[in-house]
Amino acid sequence: MTLPRPRSTRPLSASPEVIRIGNFSGFYGERHSALQEMLDGGDVDVLTGDYLAELTMLILARDRAKDPALGYAKTFLAQMRQSLAAAYAKNVQIVVNAGGMNPAGLAARLRDLAAELDVPARIAHIEGDDLTDRAAELGLGQPLAANAYLGAWGIAECLRAGADVVVTGRITDASLVVGPAAAHFGWGREDFDALAGAMVAGHVIECSTQATGGNFSAFTEIADLSRPGFPIAEVSADGSCVITKHAGTGGAVTVDTVTAQLLYEIQTARYAGPDATARFDTIAVTDDGPDRVRLSGIGGEAPPPQLKVSLTRLGGFRNEMAFMLVGRHIEEKAALTRRQLEQWLPVRPAQLEWDLARTDTPDADTEERAAATLRCVVRDTDPKKVGRLFSGTAVELALAGYPGFFLSSPPREASPYGVFTAGYVDAALPEHTAVLHDGTRVAVPPTPTTRALADVTAPPIPAATAPGPSRHIELGEIALARSGDKGPHANIGVWVRTDDQWTWLVNAMTVERIRELLPETADLPIQRAVLPNLRALNFVIEGLLGEGVAYNARFDPQAKGLAEWLLARRVDVPAALLSD
């Protein structure tokens, strides 16, 4: 069915004061029906999709290495087959970074799909983030892929020219929202407060249902979390916004679910991007009614003079074997296994790491509850050293090792692992280009005004209250938290709900206390940011994740459960702060 309609000068939103921007994807693997759910669920002006986690860039880079025509998120094509006609009929623009390593290739496939479906949608895309061929000359080494985090202005250019779909590669996640908002309101390059507000809105909705109750530490407070709805940011002309969702969908939008996402994967009170730097110490978060939370008062500054570059390289090859230890003498069984394997290996890998997880319980009523896991991880640049040479040797211990020997998996070959690092280049170096739906190429210059990042002056800390009766409880009985990853680092945002609780938290939860509660962090650098406006603290634990998620340095390689571990630790809390 053909859907003819003039498309040249229509506004992105019928309202000059507000544009409704929703999100339907937070990662490559999101709920397939999400795009159609957002179109069917109610009114939106623009839908965004974020597909590019750090690990995804490695996956797409390897896809492109095998086939130059690939390198994009293939699932987005399948979603558009289902939903392109509906989006066009509803005048909903779609902006996604699903182009990954090959935005031009995905845009071409979308044009083919539109022709096949007889939908006259206009497809535009963004180029210039891929610096792989220039990496050496830019001092970035020789990575498998090097991609600069571009900003929102190319997206705005495409939308102003009438694009129905805009495909990008590696841009900042928040720019997916900043671009449509800037195009609709006509913001200038130095409207930093408004741009910073849209950045905050983008940061909140970029991870889809994490803003509506997903991965939420107080999830038991949400009445219906069976199928959370996807978030919508109603962005106003001054950059303030209301976070909401379609009526009748699951999950919830509350001050706490939004605060959780605000603290996700941040570092300091300055949240820098190529469009502006948002001051997270200025955000006011207020209840605006059922499933509505307002974000306002957001201060903005000029962006830094450099762009961050995602550098993905092949780190080597890895393998692992897990020995299951049941019953008595767990420590002795583990020690015997270590001695035997290390003696029997024909050649020692470059890295050989052991980890004993004591998940066994005394006098257990099932065999599984009586079991501990001894995990051995090996890495080397030579796949032979960590392939069957390693895993086969582990199997050879079966009849010569500890009593009750068994493994959690059969022997396997080595698998490659990637390493993510961050580089930086002058903002003018990438050739940021908006390729409009008619093929016109528009150069997108960087923002002319910049400001070097600097630490935020620490706010005054309220004096600790006089000690009184206390209770030794789990931290999660008074606080909420969320954690995540940034390359090799992990962050934990912790917040409370009342001013009195905040006075206790900011004095009690120091860097030294974090090291005590989370012994795995004891020898690592930890940075603390104080955010009184959110009653929150953010801790960045440097190096906890080795060389990033693909390196798989710990059993929780993205630190997603780190906050839950912290909330389960017991601390002394003044009884007066706790409700009955």
Side-chain angles (χ1 to χ4, degrees), residues 354-435:
W354 292 95
D355 179 64
L356 175 61
R358 291 298 304 266
T359 52
D360 53 305
T361 57
D363 195 24
D365 57 355
T366 69
E367 182 180 354
E368 187 171 2
R369 293 192 183 99
T373 304
L374 176 64
R375 185 166 164 256
C376 182
V377 177
V378 291
R379 299 182 185 89
D380 203 288
T381 56
D382 184 351
K384 294 180 181 178
K385 292 182 181 179
V386 293
R388 289 299 182 103
L389 199 63
F390 160 73
S391 59
T393 302
V395 173
E396 290 175 4
L397 303 181
L399 304 183
Y402 61 86
F405 181 106
F406 71 98
L407 299 164
S408 67
S409 65
R412 49 195 166 192
E413 297 291 351
S415 59
Y417 70 89
V419 172
F420 169 87
T421 55
Y424 295 88
V425 297
D426 186 277
L429 282 173
E431 297 175 356
H432 188 175
T433 304
V435 184

Side-chain angles (χ1 to χ4, degrees), residues 253-260 262 285-288 292-293 495:
V253 177
T254 69
V255 166
D256 285 319
T257 67
V258 171
T259 299
L262 283 172
V285 186
T286 54
D287 191 319
D288 196 57
R292 294 179 64 82
V293 171
W495 74 100

Side-chain angles (χ1 to χ4, degrees), residues 327-362:
R328 303 183 304 153
H329 307 307
I330 295 296
E331 297 288 343
E332 293 82 358
K333 290 172 180 176
L336 173 61
T337 305
R338 292 189 188 105
R339 288 198 307 272
Q340 286 184 316
L341 183 63
E342 293 188 22
Q343 290 174 4
W344 289 29
L345 280 173
V347 58
R348 187 181 179 92
Q351 296 180 30
L352 190 150
E353 300 170 356
W354 292 95
D355 179 64
L356 175 61
R358 291 298 304 266
T359 52
D360 53 305
T361 57

Side-chain angles (χ1 to χ4, degrees), residues 289-306:
D291 289 320
R292 294 179 64 82
V293 171
R294 181 171 295 279
L295 303 177
S296 60
I298 301 159
E301 300 170 345
Q306 292 186 312

